[in-house]
Amino acid sequence: MLQQATNQRLIGTIDNQTLARLEELGQAPQSAIIAMGKGDLMHAIREHKQKIGLNIPISFREVLPNKLQQFKAILLDKNNSKVLLYIYEIDKSKLAIKLNYTIKIDDLKGKKQRKVVNILRTVT
């Protein structure tokens, strides 16, 4: 059983339909888990993104785990087949999720383990 990742938060999963399609394409991730680091969140909401209108509204961020299942579309990045782009109706909003990213976590006994997850790297 996993507790929490060091500097990472487990925020959701890739939906079953998307996993099945990735399997068909030979791009299935090792895990359905989506995680996000504290630094990635700060990067996503930094002042520069607010100035150019690419920040995600607070109301969206507050329910991010639910929003992972309420997308308009999911695209496989044509330049990097290890990245899924989650597209939403909020202005120009999308989430980029890097597939098969290795993190260190503490198990319930406090022992460090390596686990493969899919990491939310950018929000634009």
Side-chain angles (χ1 to χ4, degrees):
M1 179 66 75
L2 305 179
Q3 199 169 8
Q4 77 177 34
T6 305
N7 191 35
Q8 302 289 329
R9 297 293 178 256
L10 308 180
I11 60 170
T13 59
I14 298 173
D15 67 281
N16 290 334
Q17 184 177 358
T18 301
L19 290 171
R21 182 65 179 134
L22 289 170
E23 179 73 34
E24 290 172 11
L25 296 171
Q27 297 291 334
Q30 294 180 34
S31 167
I33 295 171
I34 299 171
M36 183 177 198
K38 293 176 190 175
D40 298 315
L41 178 60
M42 296 310 293
H43 174 79
I45 63 174
R46 69 189 189 279
E47 187 176 331
H48 172 72
K49 293 226 184 235
Q50 293 175 15
K51 285 182 181 177
I52 61 174
L54 290 178
N55 62 311
I56 302 293
I58 291 172
S59 60
F60 186 93
R61 292 188 309 254
E62 288 175 343
V63 293
L64 185 57
N66 292 332
K67 291 294 186 183
L68 289 173
Q69 304 302 320
Q70 299 172 358
F71 48 84
K72 178 179 177 184
I74 298 177
L75 307 174
L76 191 58
D77 188 331
K78 67 180 180 182
N79 298 317
N80 184 348
S81 64
K82 298 291 184 195
V83 174
L84 293 178
L85 300 173
Y86 280 62
I87 309 300
Y88 296 90
E89 292 287 342
I90 302 173
D91 299 323
K92 302 171 189 171
S93 298
K94 66 184 174 214
L95 306 177
I97 298 176
K98 182 178 179 182
L99 302 177
N100 297 327
Y101 188 86
T102 302
I103 62 172
K104 292 180 184 177
I105 61 158
D106 295 328
D107 65 15
L108 292 177
K109 296 179 182 178
K111 185 177 178 182
K112 299 262 187 238
Q113 295 183 13
R114 290 183 183 267
K115 293 293 177 184
V116 176
V117 300
N118 306 294
I119 191 119
L120 184 63
R121 296 299 293 176
T122 60
V123 182
T124 60

